[in-house]
Each structure stands twice: as C-alpha cells, then as structure tokens.
Amino acid sequence: MVKTKPIGSKKNTSNSKAKTVALLFSGGRDSSLACGVLAKKGYQIYLLTFNNGATIRQDLADNRYEELFKKFPDAIIKREIIPSYGLFKDLGLKNLEKDIKKYETNLICMSCKLSMHVISLIYCLENDIPTIADGYTDYQKKWIEQMPEAIEAVKRFHEEYDIKYINPVYSETSKEQVKDKLMKFGLSTKSLEGTCLFGGTFSIPEPHRVVSYIEDKLPQCRRYIKSHFDEKTDNFP
C-alpha cells in the first residue's frame, strides 16, 4: 500500500513516540507551515502525501519536501507517497449520482479527504504513531473538509482508534499570515503542490450536509480498516 520516498529517510531513534505525528502533506503553504510548527514544538514527523489519481504535477511537492528536510533534518523522519485512489473511488465516485441527489451538492473532495484519513489511521496503527495532523486553516474554512463541523466529525472518528487528530495552523486567518510565517522559517512562500481536477467543482454546502455525508461514509471507512487488519492478523487493534 505504501511507497517510500527515500530522500532523507532515517530511523526514529526516540525511545518515546508520544511526540510523533503523521502529517497530511501536499506541499502547499498550509501543510508546509504545519510541518514547521510541529518541528518547532519538538515533534518527530512522518510526511504523508497521497496520490488520489486526479492531481496534476504532484511532483511539485518533492521540491517542498527537500526544502523542509534541509530546514528540519532532526524533526522529519521520512516522507511516504501513498496511493489513495482505490478507496477514494469507492467512497466518492461509485455512488456519485445518488450522493449528489441526496446531499444536493458535489462532496467529492470530502470523500477524497476521508480516504486520506482512513489510510493515515492504518499507517499510524501499524507504526505506533499516536497523532495525525494536517494543514487546515481558519481562512480556508469555507471548503467542506475544513469546516469546523467536518473537522469535529473526523476527529471523533479518529478517537475510535485512540488516535489524536490535530490542526496545528487552524488559527491562521489569512494567506498573508501563512506566507509571513513561512518566510520567518526561511521557507519559500510559493504553493508547491499539485492541482486536483476536482478542486473548485462544487458549490459550498451547508455544514450539516457535510457532517451527514461524513457519517454516512464512516461505516464503509470502518470496514476498510477492519478488512485491512483482518487480512494481516486476527488481532484487530
């Protein structure tokens, strides 16, 4: 399931994993700032980049990763590039017509993020990582996956597996703030992330519709996680 990006990979030699985190990493400004904030707080960081099958120039994030590793070599353990398109298709595309009729908007981006969270949960359970983080921000909260209500719903899902879900840069209220803090870290202020074909292809829904969508998809997410571990062992965590 996992492809390893070997540039700068190293073994986590810490005796305690209490401050180890898996960061959903696109290479964009917000997830890059989240990496810097987590590094400054003393976290050991695994950067997880997901291939949803619909992103143009995802390789741009490689440049950001190299920049971050040079800046925080003691904090970044490794980067993983993980395919998420199979689960994304199952969650968001197979029943797309029914979902649009039910929720009255296109919620594909939420299913894409859910697939990332599910695979991140598996990664953390397998590698004894207690925390998952992302680069969500207040100034982006109009987007469905970054709505406070959606974040809380996903957070409750993580708690089912004893994994903490945090948003270290959610207090950022503007792109200018993020760029200013990146500059203070000595990082590029450019957004070095690919462009998803599904970005901006939907109207903004009411938060309760997003939460309902998430809750309707979670049983499928749970089955995916259970199936993954059932194939490997009888001892499901």
Side-chain angles (χ1 to χ4, degrees):
M1 183 183 72
V2 176
K3 292 183 178 179
T4 301
K5 186 73 176 179
I7 302 173
S9 292
K10 61 181 183 293
K11 185 178 180 181
N12 184 359
T13 57
S14 173
N15 292 325
S16 171
K17 290 199 172 185
K19 295 202 72 171
T20 304
V21 61
L23 173 63
L24 278 62
F25 173 71
S26 67
R29 297 183 189 93
D30 299 336
S31 62
S32 299
L33 180 60
C35 181
V37 169
L38 291 167
K40 188 175 181 180
K41 290 183 177 180
Y43 279 90
Q44 297 285 282
I45 307 166
Y46 291 78
L47 299 176
L48 305 185
T49 301
F50 294 91
N51 175 10
N52 69 355
T55 301
I56 301 170
R57 289 302 310 273
Q58 192 170 35
D59 59 298
L60 289 172
D62 296 350
N63 299 316
R64 178 70 86 183
Y65 166 63
E66 292 177 11
E67 179 186 34
L68 287 169
F69 185 77
K70 289 178 182 178
K71 188 69 179 180
F72 309 111
D74 296 327
I76 297 175
I77 303 301
K78 66 164 67 172
R79 178 191 180 206
E80 306 273 22
I81 301 176
I82 308 175
S84 61
Y85 40 77
L87 181 57
F88 171 38
K89 181 179 179 180
D90 287 343
L91 288 175
L93 302 180
K94 283 188 175 179
N95 294 303
L96 179 59
E97 292 178 350
K98 292 180 180 179
D99 287 343
I100 289 176
K101 288 179 181 178
K102 182 175 181 178
Y103 303 104
E104 300 180 356
T105 188
N106 172 0
L107 295 171
I108 285 178
C109 289
M110 192 67 247
S111 62
C112 180
K113 290 296 183 179
L114 273 178
S115 68
M116 295 179 187
H117 279 284
V118 167
I119 295 169
S120 295
L121 279 167
I122 291 173
Y123 187 88
C124 287
L125 291 168
E126 289 184 330
N127 292 280
D128 194 24
I129 300 171
T131 306
I132 290 173
D134 57 31
Y136 292 174
T137 59
D138 177 83
Y139 79 93
Q140 299 267 39
K141 66 183 178 184
K142 70 175 182 178
W143 303 121
I144 53 179
E145 74 279 2
Q146 300 189 49
M147 291 178 175
E149 297 86 351
I151 291 173
E152 286 303 312
V154 174
K155 187 173 294 185
R156 290 192 296 271
F157 174 51
H158 285 66
E159 289 171 354
E160 295 177 23
Y161 300 91
D162 294 323
I163 300 294
K164 186 177 182 181
Y165 170 38
I166 61 174
N167 314 102
V169 294
Y170 200 79
S171 60
E172 303 303 331
T173 57
S174 71
K175 183 189 297 184
E176 288 68 31
Q177 280 187 351
V178 171
K179 292 171 73 172
D180 182 61
K181 290 184 179 181
L182 285 171
M183 190 176 295
K184 289 177 180 177
F185 273 122
L187 299 170
S188 169
T189 60
K190 294 183 181 295
S191 183
L192 299 177
E193 63 182 332
T195 300
C196 181
L197 294 175
F198 296 112
T201 60
F202 53 87
S203 56
I204 305 300
E206 293 295 321
H208 72 89
R209 295 190 186 278
V210 180
V211 173
S212 177
Y213 180 86
I214 292 170
E215 291 175 347
D216 285 348
K217 298 295 181 181
L218 286 184
Q220 189 176 351
C221 295
R222 295 183 186 105
R223 288 194 298 271
Y224 185 90
I225 295 173
K226 187 176 186 304
S227 175
H228 173 85
F229 285 100
D230 282 348
E231 291 177 359
K232 299 184 68 175
T233 177
D234 293 332
N235 298 317
F236 175 60

